[in-house]
Amino acid sequence: MEKVLHLQTYIPSMMQWLKSETGLDDRDSKRIPKFGKFRVFLENNHAGELWKNRIVDPGSDISLQWNKVFLISCLVALFVDPLFFYLPTIVQAEGSTCMAIDLKLGITVTCFRTIADVFYLMHIVFKFRTAYVAPSSRVFGRGELVVDPELIARRYLRTDFFVDFIAALPLPQIMIWFIIPLIKTAQSDYTNNALVLVVLLQYIPRFYLIFPLSSEIAKANGVVTKTAWAGAAYNLVLYMLASHVTGSAWYLCSIERYATCWKYLCEQDIETQTRCQSSYLVCNNLEKPDRKAWAGTTRVFSKCDPNNASDPNVFDYGMFSNALSKQVASATFTEKYLYCLWWGLQNLSSYAQSTNTTTFVGETLFAIVLAVMGLVLFAHLIGNMQTYLQSLTARLEEWRLKRRDTEEWMSHRQLPQNLRGRVRRYVQYKWLATHGVDEDAILHQLPADLRRDIQRHLCLDLVRRVPFFSQMDDQLLDAICERLVSSLITQGTYVVREGDPVTEMLFIIRGRLESSTTDGGRSGFFNSIALRPGDFCGEETLAWALVPNSNANLPSSTRTVTALEEVEAFALRAEDLKFVANQFRRLHSKKLQHTFRFYSHQWRTWAASFIQSAWHRFKRRKMAHNLSISESLSSLPLLEHDETETTAAAAAAEEEEIPSEPEQSVAVKRLALRFVANTRRGNLRVKDVEMPKLVKPQEPDFSREGRDEGGSLF
């Protein structure tokens, strides 16, 4: 890392020196090619130095992606290597038979094998640049990474380098294109045995590399495949790969047994005039005169023909007779490959029970290995594939068992049919909504910060649909979203009844609810509204939570809430709402108070009833006032008549010299008459019966000191 830092400071200083000495700048690199090339050269060397000193974390995404790519390349390489076994072939020509090498197939297989070898070389380079966890630091946690290139190289050379190096060598290519052409004896059995030995020598370490690769991917990712279908396909590919290898080995062994028959009979062939030579079995010598003369008189081909049933001395090929009797070795590559693949798959699945072997030791050992390998692969790979496929329906099977237990419980308790139907609808609706996944259990296993972000992603947009919560800031909404829990309500379910304690506040996501009230059972009073997505119910808990000194008793519901259809909602429990109200005093603001009152159906009902009651009182008072005015106008002539009589009596008394009452007594009488008239008017006004007052719902306290005085809506 010091070299990298030194190089980072060295390049800018060199470029600055060149600019000062030559008077050039960055724009001159387009006009002067040498200056631009020198700059590009320095930048490329800088990038190369950075890559040279880069160490890859074994748990990083780069390492994980490379391991997956290399695992696929390993599977392809394991598929390509057995194709070398199909290179020997039997050619039927001019009534005789010979052996040859399929050059087109050899070129194709060599190209694919070389590409696979490049991936193995890249993996070796990658392992030299991959850090490892120090064994002494694994006491707690993940451990400490060792990033020193020298220590990484030493450890790799001591552990896995030899296996990787053997797996990366191009041994089959060297054998096919260099060693076999140099063999002058042209003994086909020796050639086949050497090819088998080379391929098996590399196939074992290449097959071994799959297991540490799968282990590293599982450590970094948890599993090799993320889905059950991918896991089943992966195990099926491994099983098909084993069938491919088995069929290829069976084909090569069939060719080898055919060559063994030729060699044995060629040594015993003394009846012909031309002595049999092993070179006659190769197609390169097919046009030689001696070979043609020998082919016309020898009985080697007839005695080695598995279809010659008339000859009792025909060679017994045992389990390889099908490949020769059906002329698989002489067919095209596609035909021979598919037939050999089917043979390998059939015998692995049946544990080699359908094979008919001879007493030949090699053939018997091959049959034993085939039976054991079939048993192990079927138990492991097919067992794993069955496990992956069963995991697809594990949730469904678990739900089916729970539903069966529910049915048995309802039958045992003799529940009526209407209750059974409601239980079945709820179980069915919960399965359709969650598919048997316990969301709360999953969220509680996560860290608090991650759980908060997930809840924010799931609930924030839905909560902001509620007009009351749209006025809050993000911090308060995060606290509310963190405590929301999902709630599923089936059709016809009573969420809460009027007079029951309110335990939670519901925010509707989907569906409709009916909210009704009778104002505590008042006769003649009924109010009903429909709650849709974006509405809420259970607002009594908010009023209860905002009171600083509220008791432990939950508030009573003023409405009855029923589900008109299946409803999905988020529920905020009263205890959680109380906690949020105590932690965030912004819930006590006047703005939120008026927003809550405006959108609360309880306050809307009270406001409508209040306005209606006030209007009725106003109308009755106005009617009483009009009646009193009309009665006052009708009583004015009577008062004038009484005053006239009093005045006449006073005048008569003066004339008759009768002493009159004092002026004060006359004033008292007048006041008494007016009092009587006013009393009549008052009695007329109070004759009307007053309207019963509607009790206003309990108003939340939005201050720390106590309740607001005059906190009315108007």
mmCIF file with all atom_site columns, all heavy atoms in Angstrom, residues 220-242:
data_model
loop_
_atom_site.group_PDB
_atom_site.id
_atom_site.type_symbol
_atom_site.label_atom_id
_atom_site.label_alt_id
_atom_site.label_comp_id
_atom_site.label_asym_id
_atom_site.label_entity_id
_atom_site.label_seq_id
_atom_site.pdbx_PDB_ins_code
_atom_site.Cartn_x
_atom_site.Cartn_y
_atom_site.Cartn_z
_atom_site.occupancy
_atom_site.B_iso_or_equiv
_atom_site.pdbx_formal_charge
_atom_site.auth_seq_id
_atom_site.auth_comp_id
_atom_site.auth_asym_id
_atom_site.auth_atom_id
_atom_site.pdbx_PDB_model_num
ATOM 1   N N   . ALA A 1 220 ? -20.595 -17.634 2.137   1.00 0.00 ? 220 ALA A N   1
ATOM 2   C CA  . ALA A 1 220 ? -20.825 -16.228 1.821   1.00 0.00 ? 220 ALA A CA  1
ATOM 3   C C   . ALA A 1 220 ? -22.290 -15.911 1.586   1.00 0.00 ? 220 ALA A C   1
ATOM 4   O O   . ALA A 1 220 ? -22.760 -14.822 1.931   1.00 0.00 ? 220 ALA A O   1
ATOM 5   C CB  . ALA A 1 220 ? -20.012 -15.829 0.584   1.00 0.00 ? 220 ALA A CB  1
ATOM 6   N N   . ASN A 1 221 ? -23.018 -16.862 1.002   1.00 0.00 ? 221 ASN A N   1
ATOM 7   C CA  . ASN A 1 221 ? -24.395 -16.593 0.594   1.00 0.00 ? 221 ASN A CA  1
ATOM 8   C C   . ASN A 1 221 ? -25.434 -17.340 1.411   1.00 0.00 ? 221 ASN A C   1
ATOM 9   O O   . ASN A 1 221 ? -26.626 -17.087 1.281   1.00 0.00 ? 221 ASN A O   1
ATOM 10  C CB  . ASN A 1 221 ? -24.568 -16.956 -0.887  1.00 0.00 ? 221 ASN A CB  1
ATOM 11  C CG  . ASN A 1 221 ? -25.720 -16.233 -1.523  1.00 0.00 ? 221 ASN A CG  1
ATOM 12  O OD1 . ASN A 1 221 ? -26.155 -15.191 -1.050  1.00 0.00 ? 221 ASN A OD1 1
ATOM 13  N ND2 . ASN A 1 221 ? -26.249 -16.788 -2.591  1.00 0.00 ? 221 ASN A ND2 1
ATOM 14  N N   . GLY A 1 222 ? -24.998 -18.271 2.256   1.00 0.00 ? 222 GLY A N   1
ATOM 15  C CA  . GLY A 1 222 ? -25.923 -19.074 3.039   1.00 0.00 ? 222 GLY A CA  1
ATOM 16  C C   . GLY A 1 222 ? -26.275 -20.379 2.369   1.00 0.00 ? 222 GLY A C   1
ATOM 17  O O   . GLY A 1 222 ? -26.334 -21.416 3.023   1.00 0.00 ? 222 GLY A O   1
ATOM 18  N N   . VAL A 1 223 ? -26.523 -20.364 1.068   1.00 0.00 ? 223 VAL A N   1
ATOM 19  C CA  . VAL A 1 223 ? -26.848 -21.559 0.291   1.00 0.00 ? 223 VAL A CA  1
ATOM 20  C C   . VAL A 1 223 ? -26.164 -21.443 -1.060  1.00 0.00 ? 223 VAL A C   1
ATOM 21  O O   . VAL A 1 223 ? -25.779 -20.363 -1.497  1.00 0.00 ? 223 VAL A O   1
ATOM 22  C CB  . VAL A 1 223 ? -28.375 -21.723 0.096   1.00 0.00 ? 223 VAL A CB  1
ATOM 23  C CG1 . VAL A 1 223 ? -29.063 -22.075 1.392   1.00 0.00 ? 223 VAL A CG1 1
ATOM 24  C CG2 . VAL A 1 223 ? -28.969 -20.449 -0.490  1.00 0.00 ? 223 VAL A CG2 1
ATOM 25  N N   . VAL A 1 224 ? -26.028 -22.595 -1.737  1.00 0.00 ? 224 VAL A N   1
ATOM 26  C CA  . VAL A 1 224 ? -25.441 -22.568 -3.078  1.00 0.00 ? 224 VAL A CA  1
ATOM 27  C C   . VAL A 1 224 ? -26.423 -21.975 -4.067  1.00 0.00 ? 224 VAL A C   1
ATOM 28  O O   . VAL A 1 224 ? -26.062 -21.164 -4.921  1.00 0.00 ? 224 VAL A O   1
ATOM 29  C CB  . VAL A 1 224 ? -25.018 -23.989 -3.502  1.00 0.00 ? 224 VAL A CB  1
ATOM 30  C CG1 . VAL A 1 224 ? -24.440 -23.984 -4.911  1.00 0.00 ? 224 VAL A CG1 1
ATOM 31  C CG2 . VAL A 1 224 ? -24.004 -24.547 -2.513  1.00 0.00 ? 224 VAL A CG2 1
ATOM 32  N N   . THR A 1 225 ? -27.669 -22.354 -3.966  1.00 0.00 ? 225 THR A N   1
ATOM 33  C CA  . THR A 1 225 ? -28.719 -21.827 -4.836  1.00 0.00 ? 225 THR A CA  1
ATOM 34  C C   . THR A 1 225 ? -29.774 -21.154 -3.967  1.00 0.00 ? 225 THR A C   1
ATOM 35  O O   . THR A 1 225 ? -30.124 -21.648 -2.891  1.00 0.00 ? 225 THR A O   1
ATOM 36  C CB  . THR A 1 225 ? -29.366 -22.951 -5.659  1.00 0.00 ? 225 THR A CB  1
ATOM 37  O OG1 . THR A 1 225 ? -29.860 -23.968 -4.777  1.00 0.00 ? 225 THR A OG1 1
ATOM 38  C CG2 . THR A 1 225 ? -28.348 -23.552 -6.608  1.00 0.00 ? 225 THR A CG2 1
ATOM 39  N N   . LYS A 1 226 ? -30.313 -20.036 -4.456  1.00 0.00 ? 226 LYS A N   1
ATOM 40  C CA  . LYS A 1 226 ? -31.255 -19.258 -3.665  1.00 0.00 ? 226 LYS A CA  1
ATOM 41  C C   . LYS A 1 226 ? -32.671 -19.809 -3.722  1.00 0.00 ? 226 LYS A C   1
ATOM 42  O O   . LYS A 1 226 ? -33.450 -19.593 -2.793  1.00 0.00 ? 226 LYS A O   1
ATOM 43  C CB  . LYS A 1 226 ? -31.246 -17.803 -4.146  1.00 0.00 ? 226 LYS A CB  1
ATOM 44  C CG  . LYS A 1 226 ? -29.928 -17.085 -3.886  1.00 0.00 ? 226 LYS A CG  1
ATOM 45  C CD  . LYS A 1 226 ? -30.013 -15.632 -4.307  1.00 0.00 ? 226 LYS A CD  1
ATOM 46  C CE  . LYS A 1 226 ? -28.717 -14.909 -4.016  1.00 0.00 ? 226 LYS A CE  1
ATOM 47  N NZ  . LYS A 1 226 ? -28.766 -13.479 -4.408  1.00 0.00 ? 226 LYS A NZ  1
ATOM 48  N N   . THR A 1 227 ? -33.029 -20.482 -4.792  1.00 0.00 ? 227 THR A N   1
ATOM 49  C CA  . THR A 1 227 ? -34.390 -20.998 -4.944  1.00 0.00 ? 227 THR A CA  1
ATOM 50  C C   . THR A 1 227 ? -34.389 -22.519 -4.902  1.00 0.00 ? 227 THR A C   1
ATOM 51  O O   . THR A 1 227 ? -33.368 -23.168 -5.168  1.00 0.00 ? 227 THR A O   1
ATOM 52  C CB  . THR A 1 227 ? -35.008 -20.517 -6.268  1.00 0.00 ? 227 THR A CB  1
ATOM 53  O OG1 . THR A 1 227 ? -34.223 -21.012 -7.365  1.00 0.00 ? 227 THR A OG1 1
ATOM 54  C CG2 . THR A 1 227 ? -35.027 -18.995 -6.324  1.00 0.00 ? 227 THR A CG2 1
ATOM 55  N N   . ALA A 1 228 ? -35.546 -23.073 -4.565  1.00 0.00 ? 228 ALA A N   1
ATOM 56  C CA  . ALA A 1 228 ? -35.664 -24.531 -4.482  1.00 0.00 ? 228 ALA A CA  1
ATOM 57  C C   . ALA A 1 228 ? -35.542 -25.168 -5.856  1.00 0.00 ? 228 ALA A C   1
ATOM 58  O O   . ALA A 1 228 ? -34.944 -26.241 -6.007  1.00 0.00 ? 228 ALA A O   1
ATOM 59  C CB  . ALA A 1 228 ? -37.001 -24.898 -3.837  1.00 0.00 ? 228 ALA A CB  1
ATOM 60  N N   . TRP A 1 229 ? -36.101 -24.524 -6.879  1.00 0.00 ? 229 TRP A N   1
ATOM 61  C CA  . TRP A 1 229 ? -36.001 -25.077 -8.224  1.00 0.00 ? 229 TRP A CA  1
ATOM 62  C C   . TRP A 1 229 ? -34.551 -25.119 -8.686  1.00 0.00 ? 229 TRP A C   1
ATOM 63  O O   . TRP A 1 229 ? -34.121 -26.085 -9.336  1.00 0.00 ? 229 TRP A O   1
ATOM 64  C CB  . TRP A 1 229 ? -36.841 -24.250 -9.195  1.00 0.00 ? 229 TRP A CB  1
ATOM 65  C CG  . TRP A 1 229 ? -38.307 -24.550 -9.105  1.00 0.00 ? 229 TRP A CG  1
ATOM 66  C CD1 . TRP A 1 229 ? -39.275 -23.746 -8.597  1.00 0.00 ? 229 TRP A CD1 1
ATOM 67  C CD2 . TRP A 1 229 ? -38.968 -25.746 -9.528  1.00 0.00 ? 229 TRP A CD2 1
ATOM 68  N NE1 . TRP A 1 229 ? -40.504 -24.356 -8.671  1.00 0.00 ? 229 TRP A NE1 1
ATOM 69  C CE2 . TRP A 1 229 ? -40.351 -25.589 -9.244  1.00 0.00 ? 229 TRP A CE2 1
ATOM 70  C CE3 . TRP A 1 229 ? -38.540 -26.926 -10.114 1.00 0.00 ? 229 TRP A CE3 1
ATOM 71  C CZ2 . TRP A 1 229 ? -41.290 -26.565 -9.529  1.00 0.00 ? 229 TRP A CZ2 1
ATOM 72  C CZ3 . TRP A 1 229 ? -39.477 -27.905 -10.403 1.00 0.00 ? 229 TRP A CZ3 1
ATOM 73  C CH2 . TRP A 1 229 ? -40.834 -27.720 -10.120 1.00 0.00 ? 229 TRP A CH2 1
ATOM 74  N N   . ALA A 1 230 ? -33.779 -24.066 -8.381  1.00 0.00 ? 230 ALA A N   1
ATOM 75  C CA  . ALA A 1 230 ? -32.366 -24.055 -8.766  1.00 0.00 ? 230 ALA A CA  1
ATOM 76  C C   . ALA A 1 230 ? -31.592 -25.143 -8.028  1.00 0.00 ? 230 ALA A C   1
ATOM 77  O O   . ALA A 1 230 ? -30.707 -25.790 -8.600  1.00 0.00 ? 230 ALA A O   1
ATOM 78  C CB  . ALA A 1 230 ? -31.766 -22.682 -8.485  1.00 0.00 ? 230 ALA A CB  1
ATOM 79  N N   . GLY A 1 231 ? -31.910 -25.359 -6.748  1.00 0.00 ? 231 GLY A N   1
ATOM 80  C CA  . GLY A 1 231 ? -31.243 -26.427 -6.000  1.00 0.00 ? 231 GLY A CA  1
ATOM 81  C C   . GLY A 1 231 ? -31.560 -27.802 -6.556  1.00 0.00 ? 231 GLY A C   1
ATOM 82  O O   . GLY A 1 231 ? -30.672 -28.661 -6.674  1.00 0.00 ? 231 GLY A O   1
ATOM 83  N N   . ALA A 1 232 ? -32.829 -28.022 -6.921  1.00 0.00 ? 232 ALA A N   1
ATOM 84  C CA  . ALA A 1 232 ? -33.192 -29.304 -7.517  1.00 0.00 ? 232 ALA A CA  1
ATOM 85  C C   . ALA A 1 232 ? -32.510 -29.494 -8.866  1.00 0.00 ? 232 ALA A C   1
ATOM 86  O O   . ALA A 1 232 ? -32.028 -30.590 -9.192  1.00 0.00 ? 232 ALA A O   1
ATOM 87  C CB  . ALA A 1 232 ? -34.711 -29.385 -7.671  1.00 0.00 ? 232 ALA A CB  1
ATOM 88  N N   . ALA A 1 233 ? -32.459 -28.424 -9.666  1.00 0.00 ? 233 ALA A N   1
ATOM 89  C CA  . ALA A 1 233 ? -31.795 -28.523 -10.971 1.00 0.00 ? 233 ALA A CA  1
ATOM 90  C C   . ALA A 1 233 ? -30.297 -28.776 -10.807 1.00 0.00 ? 233 ALA A C   1
ATOM 91  O O   . ALA A 1 233 ? -29.698 -29.527 -11.592 1.00 0.00 ? 233 ALA A O   1
ATOM 92  C CB  . ALA A 1 233 ? -32.033 -27.240 -11.765 1.00 0.00 ? 233 ALA A CB  1
ATOM 93  N N   . TYR A 1 234 ? -29.679 -28.166 -9.794  1.00 0.00 ? 234 TYR A N   1
ATOM 94  C CA  . TYR A 1 234 ? -28.242 -28.369 -9.562  1.00 0.00 ? 234 TYR A CA  1
ATOM 95  C C   . TYR A 1 234 ? -27.943 -29.830 -9.225  1.00 0.00 ? 234 TYR A C   1
ATOM 96  O O   . TYR A 1 234 ? -26.999 -30.431 -9.769  1.00 0.00 ? 234 TYR A O   1
ATOM 97  C CB  . TYR A 1 234 ? -27.795 -27.452 -8.435  1.00 0.00 ? 234 TYR A CB  1
ATOM 98  C CG  . TYR A 1 234 ? -26.356 -27.628 -8.019  1.00 0.00 ? 234 TYR A CG  1
ATOM 99  C CD1 . TYR A 1 234 ? -25.316 -27.238 -8.844  1.00 0.00 ? 234 TYR A CD1 1
ATOM 100 C CD2 . TYR A 1 234 ? -26.040 -28.194 -6.783  1.00 0.00 ? 234 TYR A CD2 1
ATOM 101 C CE1 . TYR A 1 234 ? -23.988 -27.402 -8.459  1.00 0.00 ? 234 TYR A CE1 1
ATOM 102 C CE2 . TYR A 1 234 ? -24.722 -28.359 -6.389  1.00 0.00 ? 234 TYR A CE2 1
ATOM 103 C CZ  . TYR A 1 234 ? -23.703 -27.961 -7.232  1.00 0.00 ? 234 TYR A CZ  1
ATOM 104 O OH  . TYR A 1 234 ? -22.397 -28.136 -6.850  1.00 0.00 ? 234 TYR A OH  1
ATOM 105 N N   . ASN A 1 235 ? -28.726 -30.428 -8.370  1.00 0.00 ? 235 ASN A N   1
ATOM 106 C CA  . ASN A 1 235 ? -28.516 -31.842 -8.031  1.00 0.00 ? 235 ASN A CA  1
ATOM 107 C C   . ASN A 1 235 ? -28.839 -32.758 -9.210  1.00 0.00 ? 235 ASN A C   1
ATOM 108 O O   . ASN A 1 235 ? -28.172 -33.784 -9.409  1.00 0.00 ? 235 ASN A O   1
ATOM 109 C CB  . ASN A 1 235 ? -29.380 -32.215 -6.823  1.00 0.00 ? 235 ASN A CB  1
ATOM 110 C CG  . ASN A 1 235 ? -28.838 -31.657 -5.534  1.00 0.00 ? 235 ASN A CG  1
ATOM 111 O OD1 . ASN A 1 235 ? -27.989 -32.253 -4.877  1.00 0.00 ? 235 ASN A OD1 1
ATOM 112 N ND2 . ASN A 1 235 ? -29.329 -30.485 -5.130  1.00 0.00 ? 235 ASN A ND2 1
ATOM 113 N N   . LEU A 1 236 ? -29.838 -32.384 -10.003 1.00 0.00 ? 236 LEU A N   1
ATOM 114 C CA  . LEU A 1 236 ? -30.152 -33.185 -11.185 1.00 0.00 ? 236 LEU A CA  1
ATOM 115 C C   . LEU A 1 236 ? -29.026 -33.119 -12.218 1.00 0.00 ? 236 LEU A C   1
ATOM 116 O O   . LEU A 1 236 ? -28.704 -34.127 -12.868 1.00 0.00 ? 236 LEU A O   1
ATOM 117 C CB  . LEU A 1 236 ? -31.465 -32.706 -11.806 1.00 0.00 ? 236 LEU A CB  1
ATOM 118 C CG  . LEU A 1 236 ? -31.960 -33.481 -13.033 1.00 0.00 ? 236 LEU A CG  1
ATOM 119 C CD1 . LEU A 1 236 ? -32.193 -34.950 -12.675 1.00 0.00 ? 236 LEU A CD1 1
ATOM 120 C CD2 . LEU A 1 236 ? -33.220 -32.852 -13.593 1.00 0.00 ? 236 LEU A CD2 1
ATOM 121 N N   . VAL A 1 237 ? -28.401 -31.943 -12.354 1.00 0.00 ? 237 VAL A N   1
ATOM 122 C CA  . VAL A 1 237 ? -27.263 -31.810 -13.274 1.00 0.00 ? 237 VAL A CA  1
ATOM 123 C C   . VAL A 1 237 ? -26.111 -32.695 -12.825 1.00 0.00 ? 237 VAL A C   1
ATOM 124 O O   . VAL A 1 237 ? -25.444 -33.346 -13.651 1.00 0.00 ? 237 VAL A O   1
ATOM 125 C CB  . VAL A 1 237 ? -26.847 -30.338 -13.375 1.00 0.00 ? 237 VAL A CB  1
ATOM 126 C CG1 . VAL A 1 237 ? -25.472 -30.200 -14.027 1.00 0.00 ? 237 VAL A CG1 1
ATOM 127 C CG2 . VAL A 1 237 ? -27.871 -29.552 -14.174 1.00 0.00 ? 237 VAL A CG2 1
ATOM 128 N N   . LEU A 1 238 ? -25.853 -32.741 -11.516 1.00 0.00 ? 238 LEU A N   1
ATOM 129 C CA  . LEU A 1 238 ? -24.782 -33.607 -11.020 1.00 0.00 ? 238 LEU A CA  1
ATOM 130 C C   . LEU A 1 238 ? -25.099 -35.084 -11.288 1.00 0.00 ? 238 LEU A C   1
ATOM 131 O O   . LEU A 1 238 ? -24.201 -35.872 -11.629 1.00 0.00 ? 238 LEU A O   1
ATOM 132 C CB  . LEU A 1 238 ? -24.576 -33.379 -9.515  1.00 0.00 ? 238 LEU A CB  1
ATOM 133 C CG  . LEU A 1 238 ? -24.021 -32.009 -9.110  1.00 0.00 ? 238 LEU A CG  1
ATOM 134 C CD1 . LEU A 1 238 ? -23.874 -31.926 -7.598  1.00 0.00 ? 238 LEU A CD1 1
ATOM 135 C CD2 . LEU A 1 238 ? -22.678 -31.739 -9.781  1.00 0.00 ? 238 LEU A CD2 1
ATOM 136 N N   . TYR A 1 239 ? -26.341 -35.464 -11.158 1.00 0.00 ? 239 TYR A N   1
ATOM 137 C CA  . TYR A 1 239 ? -26.725 -36.852 -11.437 1.00 0.00 ? 239 TYR A CA  1
ATOM 138 C C   . TYR A 1 239 ? -26.589 -37.169 -12.930 1.00 0.00 ? 239 TYR A C   1
ATOM 139 O O   . TYR A 1 239 ? -26.108 -38.246 -13.308 1.00 0.00 ? 239 TYR A O   1
ATOM 140 C CB  . TYR A 1 239 ? -28.158 -37.091 -10.969 1.00 0.00 ? 239 TYR A CB  1
ATOM 141 C CG  . TYR A 1 239 ? -28.551 -38.549 -10.939 1.00 0.00 ? 239 TYR A CG  1
ATOM 142 C CD1 . TYR A 1 239 ? -28.168 -39.363 -9.887  1.00 0.00 ? 239 TYR A CD1 1
ATOM 143 C CD2 . TYR A 1 239 ? -29.308 -39.108 -11.967 1.00 0.00 ? 239 TYR A CD2 1
ATOM 144 C CE1 . TYR A 1 239 ? -28.523 -40.703 -9.852  1.00 0.00 ? 239 TYR A CE1 1
ATOM 145 C CE2 . TYR A 1 239 ? -29.670 -40.441 -11.937 1.00 0.00 ? 239 TYR A CE2 1
ATOM 146 C CZ  . TYR A 1 239 ? -29.267 -41.235 -10.884 1.00 0.00 ? 239 TYR A CZ  1
ATOM 147 O OH  . TYR A 1 239 ? -29.614 -42.558 -10.865 1.00 0.00 ? 239 TYR A OH  1
ATOM 148 N N   . MET A 1 240 ? -26.990 -36.234 -13.771 1.00 0.00 ? 240 MET A N   1
ATOM 149 C CA  . MET A 1 240 ? -26.829 -36.438 -15.209 1.00 0.00 ? 240 MET A CA  1
ATOM 150 C C   . MET A 1 240 ? -25.356 -36.447 -15.600 1.00 0.00 ? 240 MET A C   1
ATOM 151 O O   . MET A 1 240 ? -24.953 -37.165 -16.528 1.00 0.00 ? 240 MET A O   1
ATOM 152 C CB  . MET A 1 240 ? -27.569 -35.334 -15.970 1.00 0.00 ? 240 MET A CB  1
ATOM 153 C CG  . MET A 1 240 ? -29.080 -35.355 -15.790 1.00 0.00 ? 240 MET A CG  1
ATOM 154 S SD  . MET A 1 240 ? -29.841 -36.886 -16.385 1.00 0.00 ? 240 MET A SD  1
ATOM 155 C CE  . MET A 1 240 ? -29.488 -36.760 -18.129 1.00 0.00 ? 240 MET A CE  1
ATOM 156 N N   . LEU A 1 241 ? -24.544 -35.650 -14.904 1.00 0.00 ? 241 LEU A N   1
ATOM 157 C CA  . LEU A 1 241 ? -23.104 -35.661 -15.172 1.00 0.00 ? 241 LEU A CA  1
ATOM 158 C C   . LEU A 1 241 ? -22.498 -37.023 -14.844 1.00 0.00 ? 241 LEU A C   1
ATOM 159 O O   . LEU A 1 241 ? -21.646 -37.537 -15.588 1.00 0.00 ? 241 LEU A O   1
ATOM 160 C CB  . LEU A 1 241 ? -22.427 -34.562 -14.353 1.00 0.00 ? 241 LEU A CB  1
ATOM 161 C CG  . LEU A 1 241 ? -20.918 -34.410 -14.513 1.00 0.00 ? 241 LEU A CG  1
ATOM 162 C CD1 . LEU A 1 241 ? -20.558 -34.054 -15.945 1.00 0.00 ? 241 LEU A CD1 1
ATOM 163 C CD2 . LEU A 1 241 ? -20.386 -33.356 -13.544 1.00 0.00 ? 241 LEU A CD2 1
ATOM 164 N N   . ALA A 1 242 ? -22.942 -37.628 -13.735 1.00 0.00 ? 242 ALA A N   1
ATOM 165 C CA  . ALA A 1 242 ? -22.464 -38.972 -13.402 1.00 0.00 ? 242 ALA A CA  1
ATOM 166 C C   . ALA A 1 242 ? -22.898 -39.987 -14.458 1.00 0.00 ? 242 ALA A C   1
ATOM 167 O O   . ALA A 1 242 ? -22.134 -40.892 -14.829 1.00 0.00 ? 242 ALA A O   1
ATOM 168 C CB  . ALA A 1 242 ? -22.991 -39.377 -12.025 1.00 0.00 ? 242 ALA A CB  1
#
